[in-house]
Amino acid sequence: MDVLTDIEIIKSTMNDLEVGIGIFEVEDLNDIESIRYVFMNKVILYEMRKNPEEVIGKKIIEVAPEAYQHEAGLQVIETYRKIAAEGGSVNLGLVQYSNEIVGGTYECSVHHLKDHYVYVMLRNVTDLEQTKNELERKNIELERFAAIVSHDLKEPINSIYGLIELIRNEYKLGDEVDLLIRSISNTAVRMKSLVTNLLDFVSIGEGKTKSVINLNTLVENVKEDLASTIKETNATIDFERLPEINGYETELHLLFQNLISNSIKFTKPYTQPKISITAFRTNRWIFSIEDNGIGISEAEQDKIFNIFERLHSKSEYAGTGIGLAHCKKIVEMHGGELWVDSEVGKGSTFHFSISD
Ligand code: ADP
């Protein structure tokens, strides 16, 4: 029976991986032209459009001399030399690679294997990058569209509202007609508020700059803004030692205000709202806003972050369903994520991360 050698096992495993793996030898640690291909798995050979015989044992300068002719190529090759000489690992991030046959964007990292040897990991993210760029472009288009529409709708809604008020003030209306007219007027007010919210949503962060913000002061200010609601509901809001972060002030104010006012609003009947705000640091800041409110079922936890999505009728809880979509956008412009843990009847904790 044939016994598999360690080398055979390793080679076969590496060939089956979906990332590109290659091993290079740097013969002379002071000479970037002395770097040789020792092993390239199938993925890398495919990306290079080469057979093993054309590459293995040969020097990069022989196989891909064009790599030495531009800044980005030289930087990658110099990294191989440096890691082979000094050890460690480097994540090169996204690298543009092209020769006469292929070209694209690759995620690339270089790692020390042993003296004079490095291994490289490569993932082709060209399609992913293209899709990302396309998506960003579409998003900008969509926001521009929403901005134009909401801006242009403001005027006609204002005049509908003005005309209704004129009719109500100038003409003597029977009770029934007055009721109908009042209902039209309320609808116009609601439409106006939706359109204003939409306009605010698309203009979040436009032309703003970041500054250092003390979140203790910011939350104190939010509490002042919500003073009458806090008093009416007898809500308590606890927080201590929140950090200073680098961010967009108006937007962060809105973020805390939306989350805190939701925690007060979605409260159980005859229950005093109790809200606690905490922060801890890993490689970024994670904030949590916990309440003892009505909670959100697991099935609905994803939906609530969509614009204009609400789980309750207006008569139960007032609102337009844009607050959390706003919050999500604000957190994302700070390089973070927003999510919720919740149990129906027990309460919700909204968490968000901020990279500063
Ligand atoms: P709005 O508050 O105007 O309805 P949001 O976008 O702020 O809009 O919230 C969307 C929905 O998410 C709310 O209608 C509510 O159903 C749910 N929700 C948000 N915050 C909470 C909370 N703290 N507790 C329970 N449900 C919440």
Side-chain angles (χ1 to χ4, degrees):
M1 192 178 80
D2 272 356
V3 178
L4 278 174
T5 64
D6 286 352
I7 294 290
E8 280 169 328
I9 294 171
I10 290 168
K11 274 192 174 173
S12 148
T13 313
M14 284 191 172
N15 267 331
D16 286 344
L17 291 176
E18 280 180 15
V19 281
I21 297 219
I23 298 174
F24 291 96
E25 179 194 9
V26 184
E27 222 170 82
D28 176 349
L29 292 173
N30 294 314
D31 179 8
I32 55 169
E33 295 196 1
S34 75
I35 305 176
R36 234 175 244 292
Y37 299 91
V38 174
F39 169 80
M40 299 284 120
N41 77 347
K42 277 186 188 156
V43 173
I44 293 209
L45 287 170
Y46 172 77
E47 294 293 350
M48 294 172 77
R49 308 293 194 266
K50 298 269 189 217
N51 297 316
E53 312 77 65
E54 296 173 89
V55 175
I56 307 303
K58 301 228 164 83
K59 288 183 176 168
I60 302 181
I61 191 91
E62 297 169 305
V63 176
E66 67 279 358
Y68 289 79
Q69 282 151 18
H70 58 91
E71 190 56 39
L74 275 174
Q75 197 195 336
V76 174
I77 291 167
E78 168 55 21
T79 308
Y80 296 169
R81 188 206 61 75
K82 193 161 180 281
I83 298 286
E86 297 170 14
S89 295
V90 168
N91 187 352
L92 288 171
L94 296 182
V95 171
Q96 294 293 332
Y97 173 83
S98 69
N99 61 23
E100 68 279 8
I101 314 167
V102 281
T105 310
Y106 296 82
E107 222 167 53
C108 178
S109 59
V110 185
H111 312 261
H112 187 256
L113 189 58
K114 61 177 212 166
D115 274 0
H116 292 265
Y117 287 86
V118 291
Y119 70 95
V120 177
M121 292 210 277
L122 212 66
R123 198 159 67 98
N124 190 336
V125 290
T126 313
D127 289 347
L128 216 65
E129 281 298 294
Q130 267 167 6
T131 313
K132 214 171 104 196
N133 292 340
E134 180 74 357
L135 215 64
E136 268 168 23
R137 207 176 50 73
K138 285 253 176 327
N139 221 0
I140 291 172
E141 258 174 35
L142 205 67
E143 295 211 339
R144 205 167 289 153
F145 171 73
I148 293 168
V149 171
S150 43
H151 180 264
D152 288 358
L153 278 179
K154 260 180 124 169
E155 212 28 63
I157 294 171
N158 275 341
S159 49
I160 293 175
Y161 181 71
L163 289 170
I164 295 167
E165 288 308 299
L166 195 75
I167 296 173
R168 288 189 66 200
N169 295 333
E170 297 289 318
Y171 297 91
K172 185 111 196 74
L173 306 168
D175 284 352
E176 219 169 302
V177 179
D178 191 46
L179 201 66
L180 282 175
I181 292 275
R182 207 173 313 153
S183 144
I184 298 173
S185 169
N186 288 342
T187 310
V189 170
R190 202 147 52 81
M191 232 162 121
K192 196 170 148 184
S193 121
L194 282 174
V195 164
T196 312
N197 282 336
L198 196 60
L199 201 57
D200 288 348
F201 180 78
V202 288
S203 53
I204 275 182
E206 244 175 33
K208 306 275 173 66
T209 49
K210 282 187 175 178
S211 58
V212 175
I213 290 146
N214 183 324
L215 292 177
N216 298 293
T217 319
L218 187 137
V219 172
E220 278 303 342
N221 292 340
V222 170
K223 277 177 77 173
E224 272 171 34
D225 292 350
L226 299 175
S228 65
T229 319
I230 294 175
K231 196 158 169 236
E232 261 166 41
T233 55
N234 209 12
T236 61
I237 301 170
D238 293 326
F239 64 96
E240 56 184 47
R241 281 182 291 120
L242 297 179
E244 282 192 339
I245 60 164
N246 198 21
Y248 301 96
E249 186 164 11
T250 317
E251 280 70 18
L252 286 174
H253 186 102
L254 195 63
L255 171 65
F256 276 93
Q257 182 167 310
N258 280 342
L259 293 176
I260 295 172
S261 59
N262 274 352
S263 291
I264 301 177
K265 181 163 63 170
F266 295 104
T267 192
K268 290 178 284 195
Y270 313 110
T271 311
Q272 178 192 10
K274 284 196 163 65
I275 298 149
S276 135
I277 307 173
T278 49
F280 77 93
R281 193 172 175 106
T282 52
N283 54 347
R284 52 198 187 151
W285 278 107
I286 311 272
F287 296 89
S288 303
I289 300 187
E290 185 182 356
D291 65 44
N292 59 342
I294 55 173
I296 305 157
S297 72
E298 213 170 318
E300 294 179 312
Q301 287 174 14
D302 278 344
K303 285 195 215 159
I304 56 172
F305 298 103
N306 295 335
I307 194 162
F308 298 135
E309 186 82 56
R310 313 198 64 234
L311 308 179
H312 308 274
S313 68
K314 273 200 177 30
S315 56
E316 277 179 290
Y317 296 96
T320 54
I322 204 167
L324 287 177
H326 253 140
C327 292
K328 186 161 177 273
K329 195 169 168 188
I330 294 170
V331 168
E332 283 170 1
M333 65 187 271
H334 286 87
E337 285 154 61
L338 171 66
W339 69 100
V340 66
D341 282 328
S342 186
E343 210 178 310
V344 173
K346 292 233 163 107
S348 311
T349 307
F350 283 82
H351 308 276
F352 60 90
S353 55
I354 299 268
S355 319
D356 62 344

